Amino acid sequence: MAANDQNDDGHDTSNLPDLGDAIDIVTFSQILEMDDSEDDREFSKSIVFGFFEQAEETFEKMDTALEDRNLDELYRLGHFLKGSSATLGLTKVKDSCEKIQRYGKKENLDGTPETDEALCLSRITETLKTVKAEYADVEQTLKNFFNST
């Protein structure tokens, strides 16, 4: 980072705490810039807490789709959650959702076709456990951030 605490994109992140490697500070700071003031983070907080609700609902739908062995639905849900987590800069959640999306599309991580549906479902089962843990970590980090502002 440059000496003036701006990142390569010119966004000032010097006034933000270290949120760890699960959150892209540049992307997250762009959301925070939409707030009226740093003392009142009403706008960004509403976006983040809205994401929490959305993620919880999506995980429930993923669990159901996994029980139903519905790869198409898992693809769709992985894609959906990938996009919303990327918007907030939640890199680990985004990356895991991309894996779920690929496996749901019956692809390997490199994009090559995977015809073994049972293998895809097994991979999604493991990745879903991972993404839920990553989500829980980032949820706590962001709740702590908003409670301290």
Side-chain angles (χ1 to χ4, degrees), residues 54-88:
Q54 184 182 74
E56 296 288 340
E57 290 171 9
T58 303
F59 287 141
E60 288 177 18
K61 290 177 182 177
M62 284 179 165
D63 289 336
T64 300
L66 193 55
E67 289 172 17
D68 295 343
R69 304 174 63 84
N70 187 338
L71 287 171
D72 288 338
E73 180 70 356
L74 288 160
Y75 161 78
R76 189 186 69 74
L77 293 167
H79 178 74
F80 173 74
L81 197 55
K82 179 185 81 170
S84 54
S85 58
T87 299
L88 294 177

Side-chain angles (χ1 to χ4, degrees), residues 62-133:
M62 284 179 165
D63 289 336
T64 300
L66 193 55
E67 289 172 17
D68 295 343
R69 304 174 63 84
N70 187 338
L71 287 171
D72 288 338
E73 180 70 356
L74 288 160
Y75 161 78
R76 189 186 69 74
L77 293 167
H79 178 74
F80 173 74
L81 197 55
K82 179 185 81 170
S84 54
S85 58
T87 299
L88 294 177
L90 311 182
T91 53
K92 288 184 178 181
V93 173
K94 173 191 66 84
D95 291 346
S96 290
C97 287
E98 183 172 0
K99 290 178 183 179
I100 291 170
Q101 179 184 347
R102 284 202 179 271
Y103 299 146
K105 197 176 177 181
K106 294 187 259 183
E107 291 181 348
N108 295 300
L109 291 181
D110 64 3
T112 58
E114 177 53 68
T115 57
D116 186 344
E117 289 189 12
L119 178 60
C120 292
L121 289 164
S122 173
R123 289 174 172 172
I124 289 172
T125 299
E126 291 308 308
T127 306
L128 189 53
K129 290 176 189 172
T130 300
V131 74
K132 286 179 179 181

Side-chain angles (χ1 to χ4, degrees), residues 28-76:
F28 188 65
S29 70
Q30 292 171 344
I31 300 293
L32 296 176
E33 287 174 8
M34 294 185 226
D35 287 319
D36 290 333
S37 77
E38 290 181 21
D39 297 328
D40 178 17
R41 297 255 184 225
E42 184 178 334
F43 180 77
S44 60
K45 185 175 183 177
S46 70
I47 289 175
V48 169
F49 280 72
F51 169 79
F52 293 159
E53 291 177 24
Q54 184 182 74
E56 296 288 340
E57 290 171 9
T58 303
F59 287 141
E60 288 177 18
K61 290 177 182 177
M62 284 179 165
D63 289 336
T64 300
L66 193 55
E67 289 172 17
D68 295 343
R69 304 174 63 84
N70 187 338
L71 287 171
D72 288 338
E73 180 70 356
L74 288 160
Y75 161 78
R76 189 186 69 74

